[in-house]
Amino acid sequence: MMYALATTNAGEVFKVPMFVEHYIEYHGSLSEFVMEHYDNHKKDSDWDTDQKLPFINPPIVLTVHAQLPDLNFEIKKPKEIIIQQKNSFYQEKDFSHLYLSRIFQPPRLS
């Protein structure tokens, strides 16, 4: 909890009593008080007290900067692979015609 209060603006909540006390001393409305102290506030006689108001000087917040690496990729066209195959069909001219009378016959070229 101490770390969170020290490194974030949550610790500014502890300065709210100073805000209330300073507003009670101020002669005017709440909107006038906020506009005078938080909208381009200029140095005046109670400058030191004004600097103790919440969110006037917020603490430096610890920040971590992370950057993802550039992801560049390209899809390359696959190389065309040509496979030459010999015709593996059965050649009728190399064999006799005795097989034609049988039920099971080898494949034929059209």
Side-chain angles (χ1 to χ4, degrees):
M1 184 169 180
M2 294 296 285
Y3 177 78
L5 292 175
T7 59
T8 64
N9 289 336
E12 295 292 306
V13 175
F14 295 126
K15 296 180 181 180
V16 170
M18 176 61 75
F19 179 87
V20 173
E21 182 181 322
H22 195 55
Y23 171 66
I24 292 171
E25 295 171 359
Y26 182 76
H27 301 289
S29 68
L30 179 63
S31 61
E32 291 173 353
F33 176 78
V34 171
M35 291 296 290
E36 182 179 328
H37 289 87
Y38 288 93
D39 186 30
N40 296 326
H41 186 56
K42 295 175 179 62
K43 273 194 172 183
D44 56 2
S45 60
D46 63 345
W47 177 256
D48 293 332
T49 307
D50 294 343
Q51 294 304 305
K52 296 176 185 174
L53 291 173
F55 302 106
I56 291 285
N57 296 319
I60 298 172
V61 178
L62 174 66
T63 57
V64 176
H65 178 72
Q67 182 177 1
L68 295 175
D70 293 335
L71 299 176
N72 296 327
F73 67 94
E74 60 183 70
I75 299 174
K76 295 182 180 180
K77 184 178 176 184
K79 293 181 180 179
E80 187 175 333
I81 299 173
I82 301 173
I83 300 174
Q84 296 180 354
Q85 293 181 345
K86 293 184 178 180
N87 190 356
S88 60
F89 289 108
Y90 179 74
Q91 301 287 329
E92 290 186 35
K93 63 182 177 183
D94 296 338
F95 295 93
S96 69
H97 295 288
L98 296 175
Y99 66 88
L100 293 174
S101 61
R102 296 190 184 140
I103 295 176
F104 298 105
Q105 299 180 4
R108 298 182 191 175
L109 290 175
S110 347

